[in-house]
């Protein structure tokens, strides 16, 4: 039984890993290519991309509710209802993307200013945001559709579409950032446009596959809203929205703290973050696999099987994330080098700081894997309130406050702490990973997630 369960987990996990690698490579390739323009461009694209992720809570909410409901209906062998959830999830994703698009276009520069960026970084970063946010409706709809497929047990199609996105992005980046083969040299703006066009092309291919019935779920565009299904999506999704909003808000504060340590520290943080984003790809894969199988097991009225899924997933993710930790700790400078150019006058400083970042986060990769798996299990079961509570408490108490106090220092009565700079912020981030993992484990062991009604 355990061997068969591991094979099922791996069959769902590896395409999800490759899909997320492809998705992450869109940003990663942007950073590598833009990195040839210097540390100012790195900081600008990194901060612009960071702001775009601050706007993702709504998308995460729709996709979480869609995945959980589709998994339940597929587990119960009710594919007609699963397809209705897919359709309504796409409609809901489009509607909720519009205000996000508006916020990015109107207040993107103000957000970068609040985050403490210099005027040069604000100008370049906002030029990136203005273009990339135009593609948010398509990005949202694609995210919801791919989540429905994963809930139904199809992780290969999102993988293939992710590979298509990345391959297109590499070509368009080369053409538009550097102005090759007669295309205009757009630099930072070219990176944003390349990403948006790549996402659009992959979504259109996926849409054709859905409409022609070539996938596990068929999309029927009735253009009618099913209020009951939308309510059920939102019942699961609203706590997820709050959780991701808190996550984004805390990350906004956190990156604002990092930004105030200077452009070099910010560039090092962004480079280190992009490298680490590749390291936690295995965790994302097992997050998706666990969510789908837990939801399907509960839909089939097999809570004991759902619990076994989580235990096996924890074992497997610990192995993979342990390997990633060794790589980050053993080869930090070599992992950073592709992202920075030797002609940059700040090359040595950025390389040194980014390598320290990878050493610090390397020690927390295994508990990070546990957060992904346990959080995925709870969300797949429809329990999105528990992750919300974990995010609300752990990130504030164990990341934000220590990062600020230890980073800038504090002098209060008899307490005098000298500021440690950006390294303190990175240590706080690693600490918070351990505390969040412990909280998720406690919530999982309580077992209330097994009786959630969706």
């Amino acid at each position: 039984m355990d061997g068969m369960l591991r094979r099922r987990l791996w069959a769902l996990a590896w395409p999800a890993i490759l899909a997320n690698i492809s998705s992450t490579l869109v940003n990663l390739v942007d950073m590598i290519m833009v990195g040839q323009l210097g540390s100012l461009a790195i900081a600008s694209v990194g901060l612009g991309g960071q702001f775009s992720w601050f706007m993702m809570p709504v998308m995460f909410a729709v996709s979480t509710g869609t995945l959980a409901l589709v998994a339940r209906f597929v587990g119960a062998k009710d594919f007609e209802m699963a397809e209705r959830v897919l359709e309504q999830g796409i409609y809901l994703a489009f509607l909720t993307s519009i205000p996000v698009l508006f916020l990015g276009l109107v207040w993107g520069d103000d957000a970068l200013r609040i985050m403490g960026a210099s005027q040069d970084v604000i100008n370049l970063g906002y030029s990136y945001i203005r273009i990339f946010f135009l593609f948010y409706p398509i990005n949202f709809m694609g995210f919801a559709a791919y989540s429905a497929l994963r809930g139904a047990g199809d992780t290969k199609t999102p993988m293939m579409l992710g590979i298509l996105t990345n391959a297109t992005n590499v070509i368009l980046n080369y053409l538009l950032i550097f102005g090759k083969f007669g295309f205009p040299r757009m630099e930072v703006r070219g990176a944003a446009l390349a990403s948006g066009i790549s996402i659009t092309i992959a979504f259109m291919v996926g849409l054709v596959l859905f409409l022609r019935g070539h996938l596990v779920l068929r999309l029927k565009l009735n253009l009618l809203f099913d209020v009951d299904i939308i309510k059920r999506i939102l019942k699961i999704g609203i706590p997820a929205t709050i959780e991701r909003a808190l996550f984004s808000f805390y990350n906004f504060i956190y990156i604002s703290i990092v930004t105030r340590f200077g452009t070099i520290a910010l560039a090092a943080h962004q480079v280190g973050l992009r490298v680490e984003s590749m390291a936690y790809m295995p965790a994302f894969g097992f997050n998706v696999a666990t969510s789908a199988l837990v939801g399907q097991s509960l839909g089939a009225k097999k809570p004991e099987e759902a619990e076994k899924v989580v235990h096996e997933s924890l074992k497997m993710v610990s192995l993979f994330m342990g390997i990633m930790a060794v790589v980050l700790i053993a080869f930090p400078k070599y992992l950073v080098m592709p992202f920075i150019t030797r002609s940059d006058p700040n090359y040595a400083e950025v390389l040194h700081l980014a390598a320290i970042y990878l050493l610090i986060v390397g020690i927390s990769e295994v508990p990070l894997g546990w957060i992904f798996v346990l959080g995925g299990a709870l969300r797949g079961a429809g329990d999105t309130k528990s992750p919300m509570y974990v995010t609300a408490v752990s990130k504030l108490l164990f990341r934000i406050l220590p990062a600020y106090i230890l980073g800038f220092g504090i002098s209060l009565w008899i307490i005098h702490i000298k500021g440690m700079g950006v390294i303190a912020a990175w240590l706080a981030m690693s600490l918070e990973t351990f505390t969040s993992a412990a909280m998720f484990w406690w919530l999982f062991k309580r077992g209330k997630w097994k009786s959630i009604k969706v």
Side-chain angles (χ1 to χ4, degrees):
M1 173 64 183
D2 290 349
M4 183 175 69
L5 189 54
R6 282 192 290 270
R7 285 191 293 273
R8 288 179 66 197
L9 277 165
W10 182 240
L12 290 176
W14 76 260
I17 293 171
L18 290 182
N20 210 48
I21 287 175
S22 296
S23 176
T24 302
L25 278 174
V26 171
N27 293 324
L28 206 60
V29 168
D30 284 354
M31 289 290 287
I32 291 174
M33 291 188 168
V34 167
Q36 306 310 305
L37 305 175
S39 57
L40 176 62
I42 291 176
S44 301
V45 171
L47 205 60
Q50 195 92 41
F51 173 70
S52 73
W53 277 103
F54 293 154
M55 299 290 103
M56 301 299 268
V58 177
M59 183 173 82
F60 187 81
V62 176
S63 64
T64 300
T66 301
L67 187 151
L69 279 177
V70 167
R72 285 290 183 106
F73 286 128
V74 168
K77 309 298 182 186
D78 190 345
F79 283 88
E80 182 180 348
M81 282 298 294
E83 289 172 349
R84 288 174 64 186
V85 172
L86 162 67
E87 180 191 11
Q88 297 303 310
I90 291 175
Y91 296 160
L92 190 58
F94 176 77
L95 289 177
T96 53
S97 70
I98 301 305
V100 175
L101 165 63
F102 178 78
L103 286 171
L105 294 179
V106 175
W107 287 302
D109 57 339
D110 292 325
L112 298 181
R113 191 171 292 109
I114 292 170
M115 292 164 74
S118 66
Q119 190 59 48
D120 288 340
V121 172
I122 291 171
N123 293 339
L124 276 180
Y126 187 44
S127 71
Y128 181 92
I129 288 170
R130 282 200 309 266
I131 294 174
F132 187 66
F133 267 67
L134 292 174
F135 297 92
Y136 254 53
I138 292 172
N139 202 12
F140 270 40
M141 290 189 291
F143 209 87
Y146 306 153
S147 294
L149 285 178
R150 292 179 179 121
D154 177 7
T155 53
K156 290 183 180 179
T157 299
M159 174 192 72
M160 297 304 296
L161 294 174
I163 291 172
L164 173 61
T165 301
N166 194 63
T168 309
N169 187 57
V170 171
I171 297 169
L172 292 176
N173 264 341
Y174 182 71
L175 297 175
L176 296 174
I177 292 176
F178 305 112
K180 301 296 183 179
F181 297 106
F183 284 83
R185 182 182 173 92
M186 298 177 67
E187 298 190 348
V188 166
R189 293 179 298 116
L193 184 59
S195 297
I197 293 174
S198 303
I199 290 168
T200 302
I201 290 173
F203 176 75
M204 296 308 294
V205 171
L207 187 61
V208 170
L209 293 175
F210 271 119
L211 292 173
R212 291 186 176 180
H214 294 320
L215 304 176
V216 64
L217 298 175
R218 183 169 190 145
L219 179 60
K220 303 167 186 174
L221 295 176
N222 296 315
L223 301 179
L224 296 173
F225 287 99
D226 187 321
V227 176
D228 179 62
I229 289 179
I230 288 177
K231 284 181 178 178
R232 294 174 74 174
I233 291 174
L234 292 177
K235 179 184 176 183
I236 299 170
I238 287 175
T241 303
I242 296 172
E243 181 214 345
R244 299 311 291 185
L246 286 170
F247 183 89
S248 294
F249 175 67
Y250 287 145
N251 273 1
F252 184 90
I253 296 174
Y254 180 77
I255 197 65
S256 298
I257 293 172
V258 171
T259 301
R260 282 167 172 77
F261 292 119
T263 300
I264 292 174
L266 175 61
H269 180 85
Q270 295 298 341
V271 170
L273 192 64
R274 291 306 184 275
V275 174
E276 190 202 6
S277 70
M278 295 301 294
Y280 59 65
M281 290 303 102
F284 178 83
F286 286 103
N287 168 281
V288 171
T290 305
S291 293
L293 291 182
V294 164
Q296 290 177 20
S297 297
L298 294 178
K301 311 297 184 185
K302 297 177 180 178
E304 296 80 11
E305 182 180 294
E307 192 164 0
K308 288 181 181 178
V309 165
V310 179
H311 284 293
E312 288 303 318
S313 191
L314 286 174
K315 293 176 188 176
M316 296 174 75
V317 82
S318 296
L319 173 63
F320 279 92
M321 295 302 285
I323 294 172
M324 294 297 104
V326 170
V327 172
L328 292 179
I329 293 170
F331 309 105
K333 288 190 175 180
Y334 295 102
L335 296 171
V336 170
M337 284 179 181
F339 293 86
I340 49 181
T341 176
R342 289 183 181 273
S343 62
D344 188 339
N346 301 316
Y347 173 83
E349 291 177 274
V350 174
L351 176 64
H352 176 69
L353 273 179
I356 292 175
Y357 173 98
L358 294 182
L359 287 171
I360 291 173
V361 299
I363 63 175
S364 59
E365 291 303 296
V366 172
L368 181 63
W370 279 49
I371 291 172
F372 272 82
V373 167
L374 294 170
L378 295 174
R379 295 183 189 100
D383 179 9
T384 48
K385 291 183 180 179
S386 295
M388 176 182 69
Y389 298 142
V390 172
T391 297
V393 174
S394 187
K395 285 210 167 11
L396 175 62
L397 297 183
F398 300 106
R399 179 183 293 200
I400 302 299
L401 293 180
Y404 184 85
I405 293 171
L406 297 178
F408 295 110
I410 188 172
S411 183
L412 186 64
W413 294 309
I414 61 173
I415 301 174
H416 301 283
I417 299 175
K418 185 178 180 180
M420 296 167 56
V422 71
I423 292 175
W426 297 338
L427 288 170
M429 180 169 61
S430 191
L431 167 67
E432 186 266 323
T433 303
F434 280 90
T435 59
S436 290
M439 291 179 184
F440 272 116
W441 175 249
W442 178 74
L443 288 166
F444 168 72
K445 293 301 290 182
R446 289 178 71 196
K448 290 188 176 181
W449 55 273
K450 290 185 278 189
S451 57
I452 295 286
K453 303 295 183 184
V454 299

